[in-house]
Amino acid sequence: MKIDNKKVDLFYDLVDSACMTYYEDIKRDYLEGFISFADALINGLNDSKLSNKAIKKLNDLIDKIEKEEFLNEEVRLASELVFIKGFKNKNMSLDFLTPDAINYIFSFVCNTIISHNYQNKKVTIMDTVLGAGNLLQTIINNAKTEVCGIGIEKDELLARLAKSLSEIIDNDIIVNLNDAKNANNSLAEIIVGDFGESKEIYDIILKRLDNLQEKGYFVYLINNDFFINVPKNFREDLVSRSTLLGLIVLPQKFVSKGHIGKSIIIGKKEILKDYQMSVITINDDLSENNMEIVMNKINKMFE
């Protein structure tokens, strides 16, 4: 997939202009404007609160988008910029958006899992901490098989943003407005999550095992102090139902100065006897040669 950065910039400019039109005309919040414009792109513009001038401008913006062809990933990247602007305007944390460098590593891991286990099969991937859907959308956009996405998010605005983005891109995503700590009846072959600084990570990981198909996989972004001060019985509960396959230690430059660092932990809902967890370190030199070595190591983890 070759991304055209000019197309990313164009889509961002058009959607940003739409969001600003809603704000300037009826003082609608910037991110609410994104949700409104997403609906207009899908269902047509039908908002009686808008002035005739604003309606004309928004319809012109819709026409310009419809005359262009955008890749799903170009739309996601542009929408990510819209979300960043909106979050900054509301003084919201940008932790709700997984950085693209990490998104693409998740995509590679999920595709490796798929190629070894689920070729030519529709796969359900659940994101247990969906946020605005950036991570899950990236995985689906780059997946090598058909994917049904399920997202769990407790914040109503973030859930609505994720749903609106999935509708623009036309990705198959079900968004559950719920707390990740709560029970969920859905089942998935792969469960992912970017936990940020969540203190409830251990409880959520154990709960999500109930949503994982037998021999399914989990892939989580964690802080490097994950195994320090682990709650009582967590290790026992986890290894009694699953096997930790590997840990991918991410470059320090992926986090802010002074942060302990982040890693991606990968596990399988199956007890594998005498299995030794792989530890793969990605150093700050992200050259093509070094990344190829890392990808080969990840691939071997699933052989």
Side-chain angles (χ1 to χ4, degrees), residues 66-105:
E66 290 179 342
K67 286 177 182 176
E68 294 284 343
E69 289 187 7
F70 297 97
L71 296 175
N72 286 354
E73 190 64 358
E74 290 167 350
V75 173
R76 183 196 68 80
L77 289 165
S79 299
E80 180 181 33
L81 297 175
V82 172
F83 293 168
I84 289 171
K85 180 176 178 177
F87 289 161
K88 286 181 176 178
N89 183 59
K90 295 170 75 71
N91 293 318
M92 291 173 65
S93 171
L94 296 183
D95 286 347
F96 299 121
L97 295 170
T98 306
D100 284 327
I102 297 175
N103 284 333
Y104 292 131
I105 295 173

Side-chain angles (χ1 to χ4, degrees), residues 37-168:
F37 189 59
D39 181 69
L41 282 171
I42 304 302
N43 302 309
L45 184 60
N46 183 22
D47 194 327
S48 60
K49 295 180 181 179
L50 292 166
S51 67
N52 289 335
K53 181 180 178 181
I55 290 172
K56 182 181 184 308
K57 183 172 183 179
L58 289 168
N59 276 324
D60 286 344
L61 292 170
I62 291 171
D63 287 343
K64 288 178 180 178
I65 289 175
E66 290 179 342
K67 286 177 182 176
E68 294 284 343
E69 289 187 7
F70 297 97
L71 296 175
N72 286 354
E73 190 64 358
E74 290 167 350
V75 173
R76 183 196 68 80
L77 289 165
S79 299
E80 180 181 33
L81 297 175
V82 172
F83 293 168
I84 289 171
K85 180 176 178 177
F87 289 161
K88 286 181 176 178
N89 183 59
K90 295 170 75 71
N91 293 318
M92 291 173 65
S93 171
L94 296 183
D95 286 347
F96 299 121
L97 295 170
T98 306
D100 284 327
I102 297 175
N103 284 333
Y104 292 131
I105 295 173
F106 263 86
S107 291
F108 179 79
V109 171
C110 289
N111 272 329
T112 304
I113 291 170
I114 288 167
S115 66
H116 282 281
N117 300 274
Y118 306 114
Q119 280 189 338
N120 304 317
K121 176 185 176 184
K122 185 172 183 178
V123 173
T124 299
I125 300 178
M126 174 187 285
D127 189 337
T128 189
V129 275
L130 182 66
N134 204 35
L135 173 59
L136 185 58
Q137 299 281 8
T138 307
I139 293 170
I140 295 176
N141 287 347
N142 293 278
K144 294 180 179 178
T145 192
E146 187 179 359
V147 172
C148 170
I150 300 174
I152 302 174
E153 177 52 53
K154 65 181 178 180
D155 184 282
E156 183 178 355
L157 174 60
L158 294 175
R160 291 168 63 217
L161 288 171
K163 186 63 177 175
S164 293
L165 179 55
S166 72
E167 289 174 349
I168 294 176

Side-chain angles (χ1 to χ4, degrees), residues 14-31:
L14 294 172
V15 175
D16 175 64
S17 180
C19 294
M20 292 305 300
T21 299
Y22 280 105
Y23 177 75
E24 291 165 358
D25 193 61
I26 54 177
K27 293 297 181 283
R28 185 167 292 167
D29 175 81
Y30 184 85
L31 292 175

Side-chain angles (χ1 to χ4, degrees), residues 173-212:
I173 293 181
I174 299 166
V175 180
N176 291 333
L177 184 60
N178 204 344
D179 194 308
K181 299 193 307 295
N182 296 338
N184 189 292
N185 295 325
S186 303
L187 287 175
E189 282 80 19
I190 303 172
I191 298 182
V192 301
D194 171 1
F195 286 98
E197 306 301 316
S198 174
K199 296 177 181 178
E200 299 161 338
I201 179 172
Y202 303 100
D203 185 39
I204 295 171
I205 287 175
L206 293 177
K207 271 194 168 54
R208 289 292 79 80
L209 286 174
D210 294 334
N211 301 101
L212 202 56

